[in-house]
Amino acid sequence: RAFRRADETLPLKDLNAFAATLFHEYLLRHKNAQPARQYLKSRGIGKETVLRYRLGYAPPEFRFLEPFLRAKGFDAKHFPDSGLFYYKEGRGLNFFRGRLMFPICNERGEVLGFGGRILGDGEPKYLNTSETPLFSKKKVLYGLNTALKELAKSKTVYVCEGYLDVIACQEAGVPAVAPLGTALTEEQLLKLKRYGETIVLLFDGDGAGMRAAERASVLCIE
């Protein structure tokens, strides 16, 4: 008799989904998220787009998430594997602080991890979830889940460099995706091959962007 193996990553998916909701609600409603809302407005991103892509804001506090997660009944044993915390002297502190948050999803829309853009000065400008049992950035593409409908029609996928580039393209009806702060990988290309027949590289026009496009072109041809 065959048994279907349970999804062992389900607790992490639930954790990420709830965190995405918290970040999203904070961006929409909290007075301290006004700078994030203002930044999005300056980039031409309105409320409908914020809702569609579930954009969020992680406040600068070190202990923002944990009280909400515990109150919701999440088991703390899953916190270390979630990528939402880092640990100092045995205390779990928020990995993302003071950042505009982009949920990174699989094709089914399940939240695997996050990208966070800092507002104002500071490094790194973008921060992604660390490698977890659920999230491997060499295998995931930002925006693929929201590009699938257009991609099914056009069979052409546009590869950008950043989250906001992807959103701008998709809002214009262009099926765009982005690797997560690294070079395009073989795993990502094999995934795209399932859905499209042509890849267009839309990288930055500077020297680094041109070199990245050349490397990615060779990988695409292979």
Side-chain angles (χ1 to χ4, degrees):
R1 186 177 173 185
F3 291 89
R4 189 170 66 85
R5 193 178 69 168
D7 183 355
E8 294 170 0
T9 63
L10 198 56
L12 300 182
K13 289 176 180 176
D14 289 343
L15 268 172
N16 280 335
F18 186 67
T21 299
L22 285 176
F23 294 140
H24 183 59
E25 291 295 323
Y26 199 99
L27 175 65
L28 290 175
R29 307 184 197 290
H30 205 287
K31 63 181 181 180
N32 292 346
Q34 182 58 28
R37 293 193 291 269
Q38 197 61 42
Y39 172 77
L40 287 170
K41 187 178 178 182
S42 75
R43 295 294 300 263
I45 293 176
K47 187 174 180 179
E48 280 187 16
T49 306
V50 169
L51 294 172
R52 187 175 299 119
Y53 294 90
R54 290 189 282 171
L55 304 186
Y57 180 67
E61 287 86 6
F62 281 89
R63 303 277 290 176
F64 167 71
L65 278 176
E66 191 171 325
F68 288 104
L69 294 173
R70 287 185 182 276
K72 192 70 175 175
F74 285 104
D75 192 332
K77 74 178 183 182
H78 298 298
F79 292 0
D81 280 339
S82 70
L84 293 167
F85 303 96
Y86 72 97
Y87 287 82
K88 191 172 183 180
E89 297 173 359
R91 297 180 76 216
L93 306 175
N94 293 336
F95 185 69
F96 295 100
R97 300 185 312 280
R99 290 179 180 270
L100 184 64
M101 298 296 287
F102 300 83
I104 300 166
C105 303
N106 61 17
E107 292 94 313
R108 294 184 296 280
E110 297 169 320
V111 182
L112 305 182
F114 296 89
R117 188 197 193 284
I118 200 163
L119 297 173
D121 299 327
E123 291 294 333
K125 183 177 176 182
Y126 284 95
L127 185 65
N128 292 312
T129 296
S130 301
E131 298 288 304
T132 74
L134 187 60
F135 181 81
S136 175
K137 64 182 180 180
K138 70 179 182 179
K139 297 178 182 177
V140 184
L141 289 148
Y142 178 71
L144 182 57
N145 61 308
T146 45
L148 288 178
K149 189 176 178 182
E150 286 296 327
L151 191 49
K153 290 188 281 187
S154 72
K155 297 297 183 184
T156 297
V157 61
Y158 295 76
V159 180
C160 304
E161 288 195 55
Y163 304 112
L164 291 172
D165 294 336
V166 167
I167 291 172
C169 285
Q170 290 192 8
E171 289 292 274
V174 176
V177 299
L180 306 179
T182 58
L184 203 56
T185 66
E186 184 178 339
E187 290 92 338
Q188 289 165 338
L189 284 170
L190 288 170
K191 181 167 284 193
L192 289 178
K193 200 174 177 183
R194 297 180 206 160
Y195 302 105
E197 297 167 358
T198 304
I199 288 180
V200 179
L201 301 173
L202 281 178
F203 293 170
D204 290 346
D206 57 14
M210 296 295 284
R211 288 190 294 275
E214 287 173 7
R215 288 194 298 270
S217 297
V218 172
L219 202 57
C220 288
I221 291 165
E222 288 175 356

